[in-house]
């Protein structure tokens, strides 16, 4: 079962020196919006979630179509990467054995057997971790491997497997976003300090900020650290001082750009309840807060044991989030500050396109 992840950038910020900057008391504001605790099995069953997702070996699209994925993988190591050239790309891993632990990416098309994407197979013999991010235009794959010494990232063309660029960093992470030939990711400065950059493989990079909680390249949007646990929105192309900041790491922005849904960055970083928040993009007002039914602990915050919480906007006023039901999972649809209902059957872990993850060996 996937566990909630407070963003690595947010956790790094907890130990960073606090900058002198006046921001609203967001904890006081948060106290005015109580955290809702839902019991999924007591909720009414609504329509299936109108978003692309993979659960129990079946891709369900926003339009309601289904497509079975026939790969021999457990639920914990299969991920829907996105669309590319009229097919779905799915990453999956096989169990460890004498031949090592193998990771693959395949094309899945209706009426066809899965076909491996060229030069994306990885075999692991050690204690390393692996993940992929698909460019939102479907033409490039960024693979990341963390092997305790740091993280290597390789960008390849999906159609040919041709390597476009590669890089290495001493940190461990996956890219924040990949879109239209750009990669928002970590890199070292000339002094060896981690920062977040807009990397154009084969071209170069520009710095976005030292600490970042979220990047959406197509919206030209980055949530950068202002002080302490507080992050706020600014431009990727021309970063400036955010108009507001809060202890908040967005995961998705509504189609009209008015609302963001994401994770509350806890005060301690450890042994705190995982809370999902909805905030207004214009001034950071907290509009909704939902318990994720789990706690952030020393064992669950790391990218080496967790990956992104599944939550997406279905339209401008409804978001869909994965919640636990025992050892299983279910999607729940909520209107901002209003009624919630189940939006899937109870089953295995849910994967949506463009989530970040690092699978262990």
């Amino acid at each position: 079962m996937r566990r909630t992840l407070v963003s690595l950038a947010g956790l790094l910020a907890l130990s960073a020196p606090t900058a002198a900057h006046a921001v609203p008391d967001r904890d006081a504001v948060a106290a005015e919006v109580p955290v809702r605790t839902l019991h999924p099995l007591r909720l009414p069953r609504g329509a299936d979630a109108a978003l692309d997702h993979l659960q129990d070996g079946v891709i369900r699209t926003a339009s309601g179509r289904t497509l079975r994925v026939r790969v021999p993988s457990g639920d914990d190591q299969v991920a829907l990467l996105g669309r590319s050239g009229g097919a779905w790309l799915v990453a999956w891993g096989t169990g460890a054995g004498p031949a090592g632990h193998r990771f693959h990416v395949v094309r899945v098309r209706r009426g066809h057997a899965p076909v491996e994407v060229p030069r994306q197979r990885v075999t692991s013999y050690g204690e390393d971790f692996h993940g992929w991010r698909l460019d939102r235009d479907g033409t490039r794959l960024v693979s990341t491997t963390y092997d305790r010494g740091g993280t290597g990232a390789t960008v390849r063309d999906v159609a040919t497997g041709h390597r476009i660029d590669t890089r290495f960093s001493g940190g461990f992470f996956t890219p924040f976003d990949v879109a239209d030939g750009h990669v928002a990711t970590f890199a070292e400065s000339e002094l060896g300090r981690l920062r977040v950059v807009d990397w154009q493989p084969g071209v170069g990079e520009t710095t976005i900020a030292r600490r970042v909680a979220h990047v959406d390249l197509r919206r030209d949007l980055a949530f950068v650290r202002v002080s302490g646990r507080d992050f706020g929105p600014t431009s990727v192309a021309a970063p400036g001082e955010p108009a507001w900041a809060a202890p908040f790491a967005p995961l998705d922005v509504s189609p009209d750009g008015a609302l963001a849904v994401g994770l509350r960055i806890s005060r301690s970083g450890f042994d705190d309840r995982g809370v999902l928040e909805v905030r207004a993009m214009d001034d950071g007002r907290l509009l909704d807060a939902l318990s994720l039914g789990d706690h952030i602990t020393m064992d669950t915050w790391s990218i080496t044991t967790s990956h992104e919480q599944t939550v997406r906007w279905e339209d401008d006023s409804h978001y869909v989030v994965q919640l636990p039901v025992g050892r299983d999972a279910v999607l729940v649809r909520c209107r901002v500050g209003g009624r919630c209902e189940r939006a899937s059957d109870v089953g295995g872990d849910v994967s949506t396109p463009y989530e970040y993850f690092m699978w262990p060996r």
Side-chain angles (χ1 to χ4, degrees), residues 5 11 20 29 56-57 62 68 79 94 105 115 122 135 145 175 249 255 268 278 284 288 293 315 360:
L5 170 68
L11 287 168
V29 175
D56 294 334
R68 180 161 292 281
T94 61
V105 177
V115 177
V122 176
D135 191 306
T145 298
S268 69
V278 177
D288 202 0
D315 56 36

Side-chain angles (χ1 to χ4, degrees), residues 160-178:
T160 65
H162 171 71
R163 183 176 64 83
I164 298 168
D165 206 348
T166 190
R167 69 182 309 143
F168 181 84
S169 170
F172 62 95
F173 51 82
T174 62
F176 287 93
D177 194 19
V178 184

Side-chain angles (χ1 to χ4, degrees), residues 137-169:
D137 68 7
T139 63
R140 294 178 175 184
L141 270 171
V142 181
S143 63
T144 52
T145 298
Y146 170 65
D147 63 2
R148 294 189 176 228
T151 302
T154 301
V155 184
R156 292 186 182 275
D157 180 87
V158 171
T160 65
H162 171 71
R163 183 176 64 83
I164 298 168
D165 206 348
T166 190
R167 69 182 309 143
F168 181 84
S169 170

Side-chain angles (χ1 to χ4, degrees), residues 333-354:
R333 172 191 297 108
C334 291
R335 184 175 183 86
V336 176
R339 181 177 183 270
C340 297
E341 61 187 11
R342 281 181 287 133
S344 77
D345 293 333
V346 175
D349 192 27
V350 179
S351 170
T352 59
Y354 316 117

Side-chain angles (χ1 to χ4, degrees), residues 76-109:
D76 59 337
Q77 289 197 339
V78 58
L80 183 62
L81 300 181
R83 294 280 292 179
S84 175
W88 289 101
L89 296 194
V90 174
W92 59 284
T94 61
H101 190 162
R102 292 187 298 276
F103 302 100
H104 314 248
V105 177
V106 295
R107 293 180 181 272
V108 178
R109 296 176 59 192

Side-chain angles (χ1 to χ4, degrees), residues 39-47 331 333 339-343:
H39 302 281
L41 295 183
R42 300 179 189 175
L43 297 175
R45 178 62 157 94
L331 292 178
R333 172 191 297 108
R339 181 177 183 270
C340 297
E341 61 187 11
R342 281 181 287 133

